[in-house]
Amino acid sequence: MSDHDILSDAEREALSAVMLEPDLPPQRVLIVDDDKDARELLSEILGLDGIRCMTAASGETALKMLDEKPSIGLVITDLRMGHIDGLDLIRKVRESVRAAMPIIIVSGDADVKDAIAAMHLSVVDFLLKPIDTGKLLALVKHELGMEP
């Protein structure tokens, strides 16, 4: 070790090993709903269980966040929203580099046609409001690879 080295050889080796470790899987949940209260409530419920959340008020904002934030590992979306509704959002995600993103739909206003369309888009589940929070937590933890 020369006089100007800050790290010892052992420290340098340890640092290299850490730098080469694979990135941890994404652990944030993106909650997409045009209803502010619904977004905040879901975020709070998941947050109480140590699940980190981000929220978006529209499909457009959600798509932008998915492009910019690789830490997002799961999307929970409402169906009925403005310009880009939940099904449009899912279609756009499925056509993107994030195509394998697990997505859960939460809706208070859905019909059989919506549910069938969602299943064709390979969503994890379709939950009707009011939400069974135990089921939602179990789904989220499973998809994020967290202990149940």
Side-chain angles (χ1 to χ4, degrees), residues 11-144:
E11 290 170 326
R12 190 174 286 105
E13 238 174 86
L15 183 60
S16 290
V18 169
M19 301 294 266
L20 294 174
E21 281 180 7
D23 290 341
L24 292 173
Q27 291 295 308
R28 291 195 188 275
V29 173
L30 176 59
I31 299 167
V32 189
D33 197 322
D34 57 354
D35 179 336
K36 183 177 188 278
D37 292 338
R39 280 193 317 270
E40 289 177 355
L41 181 61
L42 273 182
S43 182
E44 200 171 300
I45 289 168
L46 295 175
L48 288 172
D49 243 72
I51 298 165
R52 295 174 300 172
C53 299
M54 306 166 100
T55 62
S58 68
E60 294 89 344
T61 303
L63 288 169
K64 188 170 189 226
M65 290 173 77
L66 284 166
D67 278 345
E68 296 171 356
K69 310 242 184 253
S71 62
I72 296 170
L74 171 74
V75 173
I76 299 174
T77 185
D78 187 20
L79 273 188
R80 306 279 180 250
M81 295 185 290
H83 181 63
I84 295 180
D85 70 10
L87 289 176
D88 289 336
L89 171 63
I90 296 165
R91 284 186 195 99
K92 289 182 184 306
V93 170
R94 293 294 178 244
E95 295 165 359
S96 75
V97 296
R98 305 290 293 268
M101 174 74 57
I103 299 173
I104 297 171
I105 294 176
V106 171
S107 183
D109 175 32
D111 56 29
V112 173
K113 185 177 69 115
D114 291 329
I116 291 169
M119 292 306 159
H120 282 294
L121 292 168
S122 301
V123 297
V124 172
D125 210 334
F126 193 115
L127 303 177
L128 291 174
K129 294 177 184 175
I131 299 164
D132 175 341
T133 55
K135 181 173 184 178
L136 178 65
L137 276 168
L139 283 169
V140 169
K141 286 182 172 186
H142 174 77
E143 291 302 319
L144 294 177

